[in-house]
Amino acid sequence: MRQVIIIGSGPAGYTAAIYVARANLSPLVIASSVEAGGELMNTTDVENFPGFPEGIMGPDLMQRMREQAERFGAEVLLDDVTSLELSGDVKRVTVGSGETFQALAVIFATGSAYRKLGLPDEDRLSGHGVSWCATCDGFFFREKTIAVVGGGDSAMEEATFLTRFATKVYVIHRKDSLRASKIMQERAFNNPKIEFVWNSSVTALNGESNLESVGLIDTVTGETRTLDLDGLFIAIGNDPRTHLVHNQLALTSEGTVEVEGRSSRTSVTGVFAAGDVIDPTYRQAVTAAGSGTVAALDAEHYLSALPASLVASANSSS
């Protein structure tokens, strides 16, 4: 039995692992078989993480975090959690291989996933003109005509960034006004390469091997038309990855895991949550890392208050 199991390996999960490992609690980090490192694995330059004045590649940052956690004694498992049993003093975590691990405390740091449009050809054309990451794929659209779907800060940031490469960037938004912050709106409005397509929703993605055009419907008049494009970037938000804890942990109205005040304590004793899975607002690498610190310290304090015999049983079987 482990003292702490950490589910997730983004900035929150690995930071929690660093703190837990330094406390000699020998955590097991279940990092996923295909998504280890979280969303930063799909990011090129990270320029706003403290300590890297010249910036750092997203995958490099996550590799350094993993190495730092392992240096202090964290064990990283590249597998996917398939089920959780969180009630009682001993938590049980089952992974894809069929193996079940036990722990006295669990830190849930599964992050969030890009929201999709839900169109039939979305997955088929992913990587063939359809993308959710401008910093990952913008380079491939030099001198091309592309569009961004969305009306928030992320959409404006993506559109502005993509003007470095594309000849033309449309912003497709289902309303006639944006929800983005004023400064982000001004940047987009003042960019001569950006053109807004108001009151419009994407209804179809067209193309055989690559995206060639999208179908649009006017949300006011119902009129339909086709817009020729080489690429489409979807920036309509993120959904927290909470499917594993539905009916086990309390969730907020935004769908994130509910925690107590500024702590990481969830509705189940001994279970803590950190990162984007509890944060519908900021969703930054540095805030996720800070959240992972909180979860680690909360877990450490929780374990220190448990009966010595229970903690000893975890120590002897780790």
Side-chain angles (χ1 to χ4, degrees), residues 199 216-225:
N199 297 319
L216 299 177
I217 185 170
D218 190 299
T219 57
V220 176
T221 67
E223 179 183 354
T224 59
R225 67 185 180 102

Side-chain angles (χ1 to χ4, degrees), residues 243-254:
H243 61 283
L244 288 168
V245 296
H246 286 178
N247 302 318
Q248 294 199 68
L249 299 182
L251 304 180
T252 68
S253 59
E254 290 98 346

